[in-house]
């Protein structure tokens, strides 16, 4: 029996971890120790630890770490509280592995606690590029962990270049793709009954989120998007953004500028969304779905602006800035038969084939820990 | 048409008043530009109250943007939709989603009688 300690502090990385937890549940040679902290435990962020429990998992430890104030000072100080609590749990549980994911501060604390206690530690979604302080945390985590679980080749190569030893780095794909590949999609027939959209006609899906640093521009950006959509002869299925800064401007821009056949949703069930995506003519906006999910179905994705900058992408993604002429050209390309048949032949999801969790769990279960693993050498 | 239609800044209380008056079990919600942005049904209001909202919450926090609409006034088509979807109001909007007219249950009953 091996013990794997998992740390989660927000909904983001829980999406990477959940498929692995599900898989572990089906095996009797592994026990997961689930440590839940930070945003999951805050009512102002929706007490998402309840969702974890509703998914059927038992939380072994809760670390309340967040100091009130939510500014840079309390953020940094809160991380200290998280770090103070983790070694005691490691001491009691003595896990065979600590499994971390993503780029948040509490994951970095997990990396420090594990490496300083000489506990083997592995990192999902290693080696990628992400913005601001999180991007720094991701690569700091990389320096502390013993095993890197990269989700794509780009990240794999970056880790090597950063001086990590080759035997520690694995390109396993992104585990959040697993649930998508395994999940059932709602059929077009069921969707038509539910949504009152004639899905036998062609349609485009638009998902546009305001970018935090550009929230004041979000309204004009969304207006431009809707203006371009108005000119194409497809039905439009629009999914509204979450309540981040700038989201009201985006909503107003959509409501006030749409012309013709628009169907607007504030949220869709995952299996409904995937059923729609699978049959869409193309997807437009700045959602990660265009990079992570659309390539599995060979769906063209027109990606606007900088929200997904630096992320690995497949051949289905057409990147454009907020420029009317360029967006229209990109839409023409996305709708063309040539591009579609090119994708049918050449499009692969760079984030994997839906079997990442199996690879990750196999690696953790089958790797024999010895001095070579625990004592790190930097190759550069 | 006024009694079938409220502004998105109305409270649930005002929505209930409007539904009480129009006897159609739902209202159409428009924004300040007069553009239809959703509908709100009696059921939506009950669900909202059960989940902790109060009658002083604004309707724009609760309405469904994915409402059923038609661009042309086609009573035969509307009849099919009423039958299939169990709705009680159907807004007819122009190309930019400004409200043109509303088909009610009354209109549907009249259509059935004449058929």
């Amino acid at each position: 029996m091996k013990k794997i300690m998992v740390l989660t502090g927000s909904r983001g990385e829980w999406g990477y971890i959940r498929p692995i937890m599900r898989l572990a549940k089906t095996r009797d040679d592994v026990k997961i120790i689930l440590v839940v902290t930070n945003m999951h435990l805050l009512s102002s962020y929706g007490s998402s630890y309840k969702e974890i429990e509703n998914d059927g998992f038992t939380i072994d430890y809760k670390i309340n770490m967040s100091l009130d104030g939510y500014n840079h000072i309390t953020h940094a100080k809160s991380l200290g509280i998280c770090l103070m609590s983790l070694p005691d749990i490691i001491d009691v549980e003595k896990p065979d592995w600590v499994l971390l994911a993503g780029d948040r501060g509490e994951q970095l604390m997990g990396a420090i606690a594990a490496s300083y206690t000489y506990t083997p530690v592995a990192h999902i979604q290693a080696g990628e590029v992400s913005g601001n302080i999180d991007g720094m945390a991701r690569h700091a985590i990389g320096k502390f962990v013993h095993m890197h679980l990269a989700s794509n080749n780009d990240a794999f190569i970056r880790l090597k270049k950063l001086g990590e030893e080759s035997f520690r780095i694995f390109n396993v794909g992104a585990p959040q793709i697993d649930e998508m590949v395994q999940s059932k999609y709602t059929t077009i027939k069921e969707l038509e009954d539910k949504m009152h959209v004639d899905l036998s006609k062609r349609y485009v899906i638009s998902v546009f989120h305001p970018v935090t640093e550009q929230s004041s521009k979000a309204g004009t950006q969304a207006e431009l998007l809707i203006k371009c959509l108005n000119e194409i002869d497809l039905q439009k299925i629009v999914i509204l953004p979450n309540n981040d800064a700038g989201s009201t401007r985006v909503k107003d821009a959509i409501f006030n500028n749409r012309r013709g056949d628009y169907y607007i949703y504030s949220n869709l069930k995952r299996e409904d969304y995937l059923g729609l995506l699978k049959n869409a003519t193309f997807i437009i906006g700045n959602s990660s779905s265009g990079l992570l999910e659309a390539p599995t179905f060979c769906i063209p994705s027109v990606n606007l602006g900088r929200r997904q900058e630096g992320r690995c992408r497949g051949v289905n993604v057409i990147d454009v800035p907020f420029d009317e002429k360029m967006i229209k050209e990109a839409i023409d390309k996305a709708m063309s038969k040539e591009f579609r048949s090119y994708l049918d032949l050449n499009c692969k999801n760079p984030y994997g084939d839906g079997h990442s969790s199996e690879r990750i769990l196999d690696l953790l279960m089958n790797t024999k820990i010895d001095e070579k693993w625990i004592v790190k050498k930097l190759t550069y | 048409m006024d009694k079938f239609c409220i502004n998105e800044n109305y409270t649930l209380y005002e929505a209930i008043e409007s539904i009480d008056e129009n006897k159609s079990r739902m209202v159409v919600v428009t924004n300040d530009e007069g553009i239809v942005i959703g509908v709100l049904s009696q059921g939506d209001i009950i669900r909202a109250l059960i989940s902790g909202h109060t009658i002083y919450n604004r309707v724009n926090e609760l309405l469904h943007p994915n409402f059923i609409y038609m661009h042309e006034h086609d009573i035969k088509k509307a009849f099919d939709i009423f039958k299939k979807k169990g709705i009680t109001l159907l807004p007819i909007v122009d190309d930019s989603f400004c409200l043109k007219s509303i088909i009610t249950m009354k209109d549907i009953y009249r259509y059935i009688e004449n058929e």
Side-chain angles (χ1 to χ4, degrees), chain A residues 43-96:
Chain A
S43 60
S44 51
Y45 287 91
S47 303
S48 46
Y49 74 92
K50 288 183 193 155
E51 290 167 27
I52 296 175
E53 291 175 337
N54 288 340
D55 282 339
F57 300 107
T58 311
I59 296 171
D60 297 286
Y61 295 92
K62 287 180 185 165
I63 303 176
N64 280 282
M65 58 174 271
S66 312
L67 294 173
D68 203 359
Y70 304 122
N71 55 44
H72 297 323
I73 306 299
T74 59
H75 188 185
K77 206 163 169 176
S78 298
L79 289 175
I81 299 173
C82 180
L83 180 57
M84 273 165 62
S85 310
L86 284 169
D88 292 333
I89 300 175
I90 292 174
D91 189 25
V92 172
E93 295 291 346
K94 301 199 169 30
D96 295 286

Side-chain angles (χ1 to χ4, degrees), chain A residues 53-266:
Chain A
E53 291 175 337
N54 288 340
D55 282 339
F57 300 107
T58 311
I59 296 171
D60 297 286
Y61 295 92
K62 287 180 185 165
I63 303 176
N64 280 282
M65 58 174 271
S66 312
L67 294 173
D68 203 359
Y70 304 122
N71 55 44
H72 297 323
I73 306 299
T74 59
H75 188 185
K77 206 163 169 176
S78 298
L79 289 175
I81 299 173
C82 180
L83 180 57
M84 273 165 62
S85 310
L86 284 169
D88 292 333
I89 300 175
I90 292 174
D91 189 25
V92 172
E93 295 291 346
K94 301 199 169 30
D96 295 286
W97 278 101
V98 173
L99 182 61
L100 304 171
D103 58 7
R104 310 282 306 203
E106 57 272 18
Q107 301 292 325
L108 176 58
M109 297 306 112
I112 293 173
S115 58
Y116 273 84
T117 55
Y118 290 85
T119 309
V121 48
H123 181 209
I124 301 169
Q125 216 83 13
E128 275 173 41
V129 179
S130 42
N132 53 53
I133 190 75
D134 294 336
M136 291 153 68
R138 188 193 302 274
H139 291 286
I141 293 169
K143 280 288 158 276
F144 284 103
V145 300
H146 305 108
M147 184 189 278
H148 308 283
L149 302 161
S151 79
N152 59 72
N153 197 41
D154 187 44
F156 179 85
I157 293 166
R158 187 170 298 105
L159 285 160
K160 273 194 179 177
K161 286 186 178 168
L162 285 166
E164 294 299 310
E165 293 157 293
S166 299
F167 74 90
R168 301 184 186 277
I169 318 170
F170 300 91
N171 180 3
V172 292
Q176 66 268 45
I177 305 291
D178 297 6
E179 290 190 333
M180 180 183 76
V181 171
Q182 289 153 15
S183 77
K184 289 185 187 118
Y185 320 121
T186 315
T187 62
I188 285 293
K189 171 94 196 43
E190 284 172 86
L191 285 171
E192 274 190 340
D193 287 346
K194 260 190 196 176
M195 300 175 56
H196 195 72
V197 183
D198 183 358
L199 296 172
S200 61
K201 289 190 200 150
R202 304 211 300 162
Y203 61 90
V204 51
I205 300 177
S206 165
V207 191
F208 183 75
H209 296 285
V211 177
T212 326
E213 294 83 21
Q214 306 176 327
S215 65
S216 59
K217 285 190 199 157
T220 43
Q221 291 173 342
E223 248 173 60
L224 181 60
L225 164 63
I226 297 297
K227 207 172 145 196
C228 294
L229 284 178
N230 283 341
E231 289 186 19
I232 53 173
D233 189 22
L234 294 183
Q235 302 180 95
K236 289 92 184 176
I237 294 176
V238 178
I239 295 159
L240 296 176
N242 303 328
N243 290 335
D244 299 323
S247 64
T248 317
R249 290 196 187 97
V250 172
K251 284 179 195 173
D252 287 345
I254 295 168
F255 283 128
N256 292 338
N257 294 287
R258 72 199 147 139
R259 303 279 182 273
D261 295 324
Y262 274 78
Y263 303 93
I264 298 180
Y265 297 86
S266 40

